[in-house]
Amino acid sequence: SKSFKNERPMMEGDGLSTAAVDTEVATEYEEFDSHSKWGSEAIRAEHQVCVSDPETRQHGLTKHTTYLVSGTTLQGSSFSTRKRYNDFEWLKQALVYAYPGVFVPPIPRKQKMGRFEEHFVENRRRALEEFLQRIFNRPYLANSSTFKAWLQRGESGMEGLKREYIRKPLSELFHEYRNGFQPYLRSMQAPGDKDRLSAFKQYLTKHANSLKAIYRVACRVVKAHTDAHVAISELHTKMADLRNGEVVFVNDAYGGSQQSVRVDLSEVFYAEKQSLAESPSQSYDLLQSVVGRELRDVESMLEGIQSLDKLTHMQMQTRGKLEKEENIQHNIARHQQGDFLSVLRGKDKEAQLHDVAISISRLRQELQLLEEWIGLAKVVLTCKEMPSFTSDKVDKYRDVVEEFAKRQAATSLQRAELWSQFLRRIGREQAPYGMPPTNGLGTLRATGASMSVPPAPVPPSASPSSSTTLSSAPHTQHTGTPQTHDGRDGGGAASGGDGGVVVVGGASGGAANGCR
């Protein structure tokens, strides 16, 4: 029908628009989605598809990037063509229109600035390849004539494909839709509750808003932890400079005699930096990935529902046109010569009735087809897409959260072990949280405050279970580094380990030359 043809995407910028997303979130998608696989869909179909060899071309003042799309179809036919981003966008829109009520995988968003930079082109390439892989995972989409033709058409043939799509009869699109879901129809039943579709749409809309809010926060957390990792790297060197400067001063001022200096934190910060090197974001990128991917999928599911809404709107328009034609037929039959304007154009009453009868017959067939298509699409959406979409998201979220929790636990244990080593090295055994040490007395002269500490133990010879230890930190050797001493009798050095100095003493204890 003309109304349906007018709705179909043909050229760049036409077609169904995606759900509104903040510019900040959209930009973060491009920077992140395509390079993290957490929450991604497994490849289920036996096929090969690859998007590779990005090539940026310039024509006059304009530039565009093409990608080599190659592989084999589900039937074993090979394909190898070059495609622009606009070609992927058109395919996405064409499938959304041809499969109302069906989830069609998302594609990466458009970006005006920086779209020819190497990292952006690579991220987009990966995302476009994933888009095609997910289509192949759905045989009803992969076997559609539009998709198979798209795989075989190069840049020069895309405009012809778009014109062919526009000229496709509505009946051909419907029959392809019905045939695609024929294997699933036996297990489907007509939805008993007509409000389930509207409830699902309302749920997805609210769910998308919640995911957007979570995604923004996750992005901030990832950035904060990544920035903190960089800062810890700087803190390691600054702490080392601080202590080394103090050591040099003490050596020069006191002639190499024993004198207490501050505890050295540089080693433990270096070890902590090394322990987080593989995941500077402390694995919060896992949550960012699964939430970001789910948000994109929810928006694509909403597009499928919106496509079904458009089909329903088309049905209402067709019914209105049919009623109008039937009124015209009634008016022609009532008058002796029929419609006056038609008479002026040389059409007698019989010719007028013939023309309007053809129009009414066509509209009735179209209305019947639309009613059947809408009924089938509702069954597909309610009995197949809704359950599988929801359960798939729940399962992926659970798997990623489980992995996130394991990593958080491992990171926490590793960091706790690092700081426990540090406490042992400065002579203080770690007590239970909130409880003071129960053995030994003394003072820790690191911050100027008196604290109860146990006697300094000898560091264990066996390496701790943690993969990163304080011994892995680089050491700076200093000649004549001041040592700790027992101040009660002016002698009896008590080593606090090579991470700092512990001075055990009473009020009368003092350093050489009478200085504290």
Side-chain angles (χ1 to χ4, degrees), residues 31-47:
E31 292 295 327
F32 177 78
D33 261 10
S34 58
H35 67 73
S36 178
K37 292 296 185 182
W38 290 103
S40 62
E41 184 175 286
I43 300 176
R44 297 191 298 266
E46 294 182 0
H47 65 276

Side-chain angles (χ1 to χ4, degrees), residues 142 325 346 489:
E325 290 295 303
D489 300 316

Side-chain angles (χ1 to χ4, degrees), residues 6-20:
N6 292 336
E7 293 287 343
R8 300 186 203 179
M10 181 175 179
M11 307 300 289
E12 177 185 356
D14 295 339
L16 189 65
S17 60
T18 58

